Amino acid sequence: MHEIALVQDLMDTAVQEVGRAGLTGRIVRLKLSVGRLSCASSEALRFAFDVLSPGTCAEGASLEIDEVDGLCRCRACGSTRPSSDLLASCAECGSPDIVLEGGRDLVLTSIDVEDS
Amino acid sequence: MEIIVAKKILNANDQIAQANRARFDASRVLAVNLLGSPGAGKTTLLEAVLPGLAKTRKIAVVEGDLATSRDAERIEAIGVPSMQINTAGGCHLDANMVSRAIGTFELDSLDLVVIENVGNLVCTAGFDLGEHLRVVVLSVTEGDDKIEKYPPMFQKADALVLSKMDLLPHTNFQVERMRENLQRLSSQARLFPLSVQTGDGIDAFVDWLESAMRRDRRDR
Ligand SMILES: Nc1nc2c(ncn2[C@@H]2O[C@H](COP(=O)(O)OP(=O)(O)O)[C@@H](O)[C@H]2O)c(=O)[nH]1
Ligand SMILES: [Mg+2]
Ligand SMILES: [Zn+2]
């Protein structure tokens, strides 16, 4: 359940960014992009957010999670496609010699702040 | 009003990990992150290899567990200084915990720091601690499908120790199947099948660690 630590970091980052933008209103929506290879589960993130947000300026905010794939690149034929399957073979030529890039990050992409 | 941010979460961890790595580098210490399930044989492996290495190298161990200082005591018992971190329910070590732990060591006097992570094949894979090498321990009693089920853990490994090989005849573990899956991951991991019970395969792993320490000294 390291999603608790992730959501704590997410909320700290959000508060910091709101302050940096010179805003003071409540946070009403957070958008999060979650790589499918990030070892974080969206469901557990939502649960952690429900537990941690009450009493903060993000209380009641909606958490929008966009799950994103990595990019699978074939070293044999050079083709690329979105994928999160580390064990897959190339869909074009069948070669098992693939590399998966990205898809590992958790990124806070946008914050909606109530107009005050 | 919407603020567009694009801020990476866990960036704080990555930054502290980089700082840890810089501290290891400045002191010419090789740092190893030792990972695997609970009971895979991580502490037992350290008990088997560290006494020999400690004859010529200065070593310290960081032990991560939810509770108890049992593993740190096991390491102290073989004459190697160790520091226990209790994560109090946390499922992984993070760079900040390791930063505090290595603050208690005289890093300049050390050659090798081994960080035994919390037993877990999932969460620990996502946290850089500032290590140079990742060693994953998988025991033959866990089944040969673990690479397929937990690929991120194995993909980033520099070495895979296949432990408890003495028990292989009592299991349905197929080493070939596991080796194929490791290849399918395009993993760079070196495979070390070994048994602490019989001593088979230990030397090859020790040689690998020794050469990593030599390489580490040359590079900096
Ligand atoms: N038969 C056999 N048992 C082993 C071997 N290595 C470790 N064990 C046993 O596996 C159990 C768990 O080992 P431990 O090192 O505490 O696992 P850790 O949780 O990964 O640190 C202990 O009872 C060890 O004695 C081995 O090579 N062969
Ligand atoms: Mg242990
Ligand atoms: Zn291809």
Side-chain angles (χ1 to χ4, degrees), chain B residues 37-144:
Chain B
S37 311
K42 299 180 291 299
T43 312
T44 309
L45 179 67
L46 293 180
E47 288 170 324
V49 305
L50 296 188
L53 282 170
K55 286 184 191 145
T56 53
R57 306 286 192 172
K58 287 264 182 292
I59 308 168
V61 174
V62 177
E63 282 290 343
D65 274 303
L66 264 65
T68 83
S69 55
R70 203 159 295 153
D71 280 3
E73 285 158 21
R74 284 170 65 182
I75 299 300
E76 294 276 345
I78 56 168
V80 173
S82 70
M83 167 81 200
Q84 181 81 44
I85 301 176
N86 283 145
T87 58
C91 48
H92 60 271
L93 289 178
D94 64 38
N96 194 35
M97 297 174 190
V98 170
S99 168
R100 274 181 277 138
I102 61 178
T104 67
F105 296 146
E106 189 77 59
L107 273 190
D108 277 339
S109 70
L110 294 176
D111 302 307
L112 172 67
V113 168
V114 181
I115 305 158
E116 181 182 336
N117 218 312
V118 179
N120 184 333
L121 282 180
V122 186
C123 312
T124 49
F127 288 80
D128 183 5
L129 304 179
E131 72 271 11
H132 300 107
L133 295 174
R134 283 187 172 206
V135 176
V136 179
V137 180
L138 175 72
S139 55
V140 295
T141 50
E142 289 170 73
D144 56 20

Side-chain angles (χ1 to χ4, degrees), chain A residues 1-2 6 9-10 13 17 20-21 23 39 86-87 98 104-113 115, chain B residues 1-11 91-92 122-123 127 147-148 151-152 155 181 184-186:
Chain A
M1 273 302 281
H2 67 280
L6 295 174
D9 195 31
L10 167 74
T13 307
E17 290 300 313
R20 219 170 37 183
L23 301 174
C39 304
L86 287 166
L87 287 159
I98 58 153
R104 291 181 171 79
D105 290 336
L106 239 77
V107 181
L108 172 61
T109 52
S110 119
I111 310 167
D112 272 34
V113 181
D115 298 318
Chain B
M1 165 155 196
E2 183 174 10
I3 318 171
I4 304 295
V5 278
K7 272 272 185 172
K8 209 173 134 188
I9 302 304
L10 268 193
N11 214 14
C91 48
H92 60 271
V122 186
C123 312
F127 288 80
I147 294 185
E148 290 158 271
Q155 194 190 34
N181 281 327
R184 279 170 67 202
L185 275 183
S186 315

Side-chain angles (χ1 to χ4, degrees), chain A residues 74 76-79 90 92-95:
Chain A
C74 174
C77 75
S79 70
C90 174
E92 295 292 326
C93 74
S95 163

Side-chain angles (χ1 to χ4, degrees), chain A residues 1 3-4 6-8 10-11 14 27-30 32 42-54 56-65:
Chain A
M1 273 302 281
E3 281 82 359
I4 295 275
L6 295 174
V7 167
Q8 195 62 60
L10 167 74
M11 296 204 316
I27 296 173
V28 291
R29 184 175 61 180
L30 292 172
L32 190 59
S42 296
E43 204 181 326
L45 287 169
R46 281 184 202 292
F47 175 70
F49 187 73
D50 289 346
V51 171
L52 293 173
S53 56
T56 73
C57 63
E59 176 164 1
S62 70
L63 186 62
E64 277 184 23
I65 296 179

